[in-house]
Amino acid sequence: MTVSKAAAVDATKASRAARKEPAEVDADGAALQLGELSELLGYSLKRAQLRVFEDFLCCVAPLQLTPAQFSVLLLLDRNPGRNQTEIANTLGILRPNFVAMLDGLESRDLCARMRSTNDRRSHIVVLTDKGRAVLARAKKLVAAKHEARLNELLGPANRAALLAMLARIASEF
Amino acid sequence: MTVSKAAAVDATKASRAARKEPAEVDADGAALQLGELSELLGYSLKRAQLRVFEDFLCCVAPLQLTPAQFSVLLLLDRNPGRNQTEIANTLGILRPNFVAMLDGLESRDLCARMRSTNDRRSHIVVLTDKGRAVLARAKKLVAAKHEARLNELLGPANRAALLAMLARIASEF
DNA sequence: TATTGTTATACTCTATAACTATA
DNA sequence: TATAGTTATAGAGTATAACAATA
C-alpha cells in the first residue's frame, strides 16, 4: 500500500529495470514470449499498478508525496476527529507501521497528533493548515497531470469501467 | 513483482489487516469516508492487485508457488535456451535479485542452470521434468480456481476488457 | 573494455510480539 | 482485562556497487 521515499526522489531512476517492457528487444535482438503470462490478470494488474504509482510519484514530485502519504492526507481531510487506528485500518496499514508514517508527515508539519479528551489513549490526527495547502496542490497536480493522462489514454467511459471493476475485485473477489 | 514466501504459507493470516475493507465498520460503528480516494485509479489498482495476489497464493498453496515464481516457470517453459539476464529482464526483476530466486527454484529441482557452450559466462536456465509437472498442475489450479472466479465475478467480456486496459497502461502510459 | 552471474549491502514495506498508559 | 499508541524486530522486495570469470 506504500511506496519508497527514495523512489519519490527519483522515480525514473529507481525503476529503470522494471520499466523495460516485455516486448523490448534483448541483446541478441529477440524478445521473449510472454505466453500465458499475458492472460494472467494478476500479472498485468501488478505491472499496471507499478507504472501508475511511478507516474503518480513523478507528477507529485514537487510536493514530495508518495501515493500512501497522499491517501493519508485525503483521508484526514475527509474524516476529521479520527484516531490513528481508524485511519490506518481504513487504508490497510498496520498500526505499528503507521507510527513512522505519521512521524514523517508530522515532522513536515502536514498533520498533528492531538490527545483525545474523551479517551486519553487515543491520538486524534488533524491536518494542519500547511497540510491542507499541500493536499490542495497535490490534488491539482494529480488531476491535471496524472489522472488526466490516464483519462486520455483510456477515454472517460473506459476509465470509469476500469475503476468500477478494480473496486469490485478489491471488495467482492 | 514478487510476493512473500511467508504469505504463501498462510495467505489469509498474512494479510488479515489489509483485508479489512474500506466500508467495514470500526469500533464505534461509523465507517470512514474514502472520498476522492475511491476515484483514484492507483488506489483501486493497488487494492485489487493485493487481493488478486492473495487469492493466487491461496489457490496455488498446495504447490507452494508465489506469483513471481509461477511467472518464472511459465517464461522458462515458453522460452527455452535463455539465460538468467534475459528471463529476469523480461519480468522486470533485477539480475542480482534473480539469483536468490533461481536458487530457491533450483533447490526444489524445478529448474536448473546450465553453462552455455557458446558463451561460458551465461547460465541457460532450463525447466526440469519436475518443474514442468509442477507448472502443469499450477496452471490447472490457476485456471480452475483463480481465473475462473475472476471470470465469474466480472464476466468474460469485462474480464477481457479489463486485461486489455491494464496491459495498455503497463505498456503505453 | 564490456558483459554474466554473483556477493554484499541498504532501504522500504510488511508483519508480529510486547511494552506503556490509559480505560 | 482490554485497547491505543508505540517499540523492537524480522522477513520480503527492491535498488546499487563491485568483484571474478569470460568475451
Side-chain angles (χ1 to χ4, degrees):
Chain A
M1 194 60 53
T2 53
V3 146
S4 95
K5 286 168 187 174
V9 174
D10 187 351
T12 49
K13 174 187 165 202
S15 52
R16 211 181 292 133
R19 291 247 34 196
K20 203 172 198 192
E21 292 176 16
E24 197 166 330
V25 294
D26 273 282
D28 69 9
L32 276 70
Q33 298 293 317
L34 282 190
E36 290 104 321
L37 219 44
S38 44
E39 270 300 310
L40 245 201
L41 206 46
Y43 180 75
S44 291
L45 212 36
K46 181 74 183 182
R47 293 207 86 118
Q49 183 261 310
L50 287 173
R51 179 67 195 100
V52 167
F53 269 43
E54 182 184 35
D55 183 75
F56 182 99
L57 245 9
C58 240
C59 293
V60 195
L63 300 176
Q64 287 287 92
L65 283 182
T66 66
Q69 290 173 323
F70 180 69
S71 69
V72 170
L73 296 186
L74 266 183
L75 216 58
L76 292 179
D77 190 45
R78 176 71 68 149
N79 301 274
R82 299 298 191 148
N83 65 27
Q84 294 184 201
T85 298
E86 291 172 314
I87 302 291
N89 278 345
T90 302
L91 293 174
I93 301 172
L94 292 168
R95 274 58 74 210
N97 299 333
F98 193 53
V99 173
M101 191 169 174
L102 260 196
D103 288 347
L105 293 174
E106 198 171 16
S107 72
R108 292 165 60 185
D109 191 30
L110 300 180
C111 68
R113 291 164 162 104
M114 290 177 44
R115 282 256 172 235
S116 166
T117 49
N118 301 334
D119 185 342
R120 288 177 39 76
R121 290 172 303 182
S122 292
H123 288 170
I124 303 303
V125 189
V126 298
L127 266 189
T128 61
D129 288 342
K130 184 178 172 194
R132 254 178 297 273
V134 166
L135 175 60
R137 292 179 57 198
K139 278 195 210 176
K140 281 183 191 166
L141 286 177
V142 170
K145 295 178 181 287
H146 180 69
E147 295 286 349
R149 277 190 53 231
L150 276 165
N151 234 312
E152 199 180 312
L153 178 70
L154 303 172
N158 284 332
R159 186 197 168 282
L162 173 61
L163 192 64
M165 285 192 274
L166 293 174
R168 188 126 196 254
I169 291 174
S171 63
E172 298 173 38
F173 184 54
Chain B
M1 193 61 54
T2 53
V3 144
S4 93
K5 286 168 187 174
V9 175
D10 186 352
T12 50
K13 175 184 165 203
S15 52
R16 212 181 292 133
R19 291 247 35 196
K20 202 172 199 194
E21 293 175 17
E24 197 166 331
V25 296
D26 272 282
D28 68 9
L32 276 70
Q33 298 294 316
L34 281 190
E36 290 105 320
L37 217 45
S38 43
E39 270 299 311
L40 245 202
L41 206 45
Y43 180 75
S44 292
L45 212 35
K46 182 72 183 183
R47 294 208 83 118
Q49 183 262 310
L50 288 174
R51 179 67 195 99
V52 167
F53 269 43
E54 182 184 36
D55 184 76
F56 182 99
L57 244 11
C58 241
C59 293
V60 195
L63 300 176
Q64 287 286 93
L65 282 182
T66 65
Q69 291 173 321
F70 180 69
S71 70
V72 169
L73 296 186
L74 266 183
L75 215 59
L76 292 180
D77 190 45
R78 176 73 66 151
N79 301 275
R82 299 297 190 149
N83 65 26
Q84 294 184 200
T85 298
E86 291 172 315
I87 302 292
N89 278 345
T90 303
L91 293 174
I93 301 172
L94 292 169
R95 274 57 72 211
N97 298 333
F98 193 53
V99 174
M101 191 169 175
L102 260 196
D103 287 347
L105 293 173
E106 197 170 17
S107 72
R108 292 164 61 185
D109 192 31
L110 300 180
C111 69
R113 291 163 162 105
M114 289 178 45
R115 282 257 171 236
S116 167
T117 50
N118 301 335
D119 185 341
R120 288 178 40 76
R121 291 172 302 182
S122 291
H123 287 169
I124 304 303
V125 189
V126 298
L127 266 189
T128 61
D129 288 342
K130 184 178 172 193
R132 253 179 298 274
V134 166
L135 175 59
R137 291 179 57 199
K139 277 194 210 175
K140 282 182 190 165
L141 286 177
V142 170
K145 294 179 182 288
H146 180 69
E147 295 286 350
R149 276 189 55 230
L150 277 164
N151 234 312
E152 198 180 314
L153 177 71
L154 303 171
N158 284 332
R159 187 197 167 281
L162 173 61
L163 192 64
M165 285 192 274
L166 294 174
R168 189 126 196 254
I169 290 173
S171 63
E172 298 173 37
F173 184 54

